[in-house]
Amino acid sequence: MIRKPKFKSGFKYALGELMLIFLGISLAIAFQNWNDERKLKRQTTEILTEIKENLELDISSLENLLANRTLDLAATQRVIQLYSEKKPFDEGVSNDLGRVIIGDAIYFRKLGYGLLKESNLMSMTNPALRKMLNGYYEEYMQFVINDVEDDKFEFVTVLLPYVRNNFDEYGYRQPSIPRDYDLLLKDKYFLTSLKLNSDNIQSTIGVIENALSNAKPLLRAIEEEIEN
């Protein structure tokens, strides 16, 4: 008997082998992609967690600064009123004088945001969250820093030298005693400095409130992103 050629069966076998190889490569690529995505997700979560911790500290610092500057503003306005009321010197006046000559500082934590910008993950962050991050770190934070620096400059160049020349006792937000209270109430230079300081504090309070109004929703958005 004449044997039939086995070409057809050999072709099917080879085709099956190719399909298995193709399937194996496809599975390997899919696994690699899955593994890469998992690594990126873990890296993103770690960075967002760092930003979240930074932001929580920022919010606490901003709230403390806002509380202090609000009290400083009220004290400054009361001292300004002294010039028209001629109120006698007492403990309340002494306490207020210790609050009007202030130069605060604030330190923001930007490590997490810096890591996000340096990585290739910033572009992968969802657009709404990316916009909020840019708004807080590139705008609102800088506004606060600029205003606080302006207050500090006024404190160092104007108010602090005045204290050294005209106060017997001075404490940072502590009771302070002028060398001559009656002369102080006649000093237009000090009055003008207080009015300018009052305007500066009001500006600082405004930018702090704006920063907080951005930081708190940003924190919630980051928490939701981490959970997803």
Side-chain angles (χ1 to χ4, degrees):
M1 295 179 68
I2 299 174
R3 295 186 178 184
K4 295 180 179 180
K6 297 183 178 180
F7 175 75
K8 183 179 289 188
S9 61
F11 176 76
K12 289 182 178 179
Y13 177 79
L15 183 61
E17 287 288 313
L18 287 172
M19 290 180 66
L20 286 174
I21 292 172
F22 177 77
L23 180 61
I25 293 173
S26 298
L27 289 173
I29 292 173
F31 176 78
Q32 185 63 45
N33 289 340
W34 172 82
N35 195 44
D36 290 343
E37 289 177 4
R38 187 173 61 87
K39 288 180 180 178
L40 287 174
K41 174 64 176 176
R42 184 174 67 247
Q43 186 180 1
T44 303
T45 299
E46 289 173 354
I47 292 177
L48 287 177
T49 300
E50 178 74 25
I51 294 175
K52 173 180 173 291
E53 293 171 356
N54 293 168
L55 197 56
E56 288 170 339
L57 292 172
D58 283 354
I59 290 173
S60 178
S61 296
L62 285 166
E63 289 177 337
N64 288 336
L65 182 60
L66 177 60
N68 274 322
R69 293 315 266 161
T70 300
L71 292 173
D72 296 339
L73 177 61
T76 301
Q77 291 173 340
R78 286 194 296 269
V79 173
I80 290 173
Q81 287 181 334
L82 294 177
Y83 281 79
S84 57
E85 296 175 355
K86 307 301 181 188
K87 180 181 176 181
F89 186 80
D90 58 18
E91 184 178 352
V93 173
S94 180
N95 290 333
D96 283 344
L97 286 172
R99 294 201 75 102
V100 302
I101 306 167
I102 295 295
D104 276 310
I106 188 167
Y107 173 72
F108 286 103
R109 290 82 176 174
K110 300 178 65 174
L111 176 60
Y113 181 67
L115 290 173
L116 186 64
K117 288 185 68 177
E118 290 171 5
S119 70
N120 64 342
L121 302 175
M122 188 66 173
S123 60
M124 298 179 63
T125 306
N126 79 65
L129 179 57
R130 184 166 64 244
K131 183 178 179 180
M132 295 175 73
L133 284 164
N134 285 332
Y136 174 72
Y137 284 99
E138 304 296 342
E139 295 181 26
Y140 291 101
M141 178 185 285
Q142 195 58 49
F143 290 155
V144 175
I145 291 172
N146 291 344
D147 264 58
V148 170
E149 284 299 313
D150 286 345
D151 292 348
K152 185 178 178 181
F153 179 80
E154 185 76 10
F155 167 70
V156 171
T157 61
V158 177
L159 296 175
L160 192 56
Y162 186 88
V163 166
R164 288 171 174 161
N165 290 324
N166 296 278
F167 278 68
D168 287 330
E169 292 184 22
Y170 168 74
Y172 200 76
R173 290 198 174 99
Q174 299 297 321
S176 300
I177 301 174
R179 191 162 298 146
D180 188 326
Y181 180 65
D182 291 332
L183 186 61
L184 183 75
L185 294 183
K186 297 175 184 178
D187 192 336
K188 298 300 182 181
Y189 175 82
F190 188 57
L191 175 60
T192 300
S193 298
L194 290 177
K195 289 179 177 179
L196 291 172
N197 199 40
S198 176
D199 292 340
N200 289 339
I201 295 173
Q202 290 182 66
S203 174
T204 301
I205 288 174
V207 297
I208 293 171
E209 289 174 338
N210 286 336
L212 282 170
S213 70
N214 185 268
K216 291 179 179 180
L218 173 59
L219 179 60
R220 290 193 294 270
I222 291 173
E223 290 171 341
E224 291 174 1
E225 187 75 8
I226 291 172
E227 290 173 0
N228 293 335

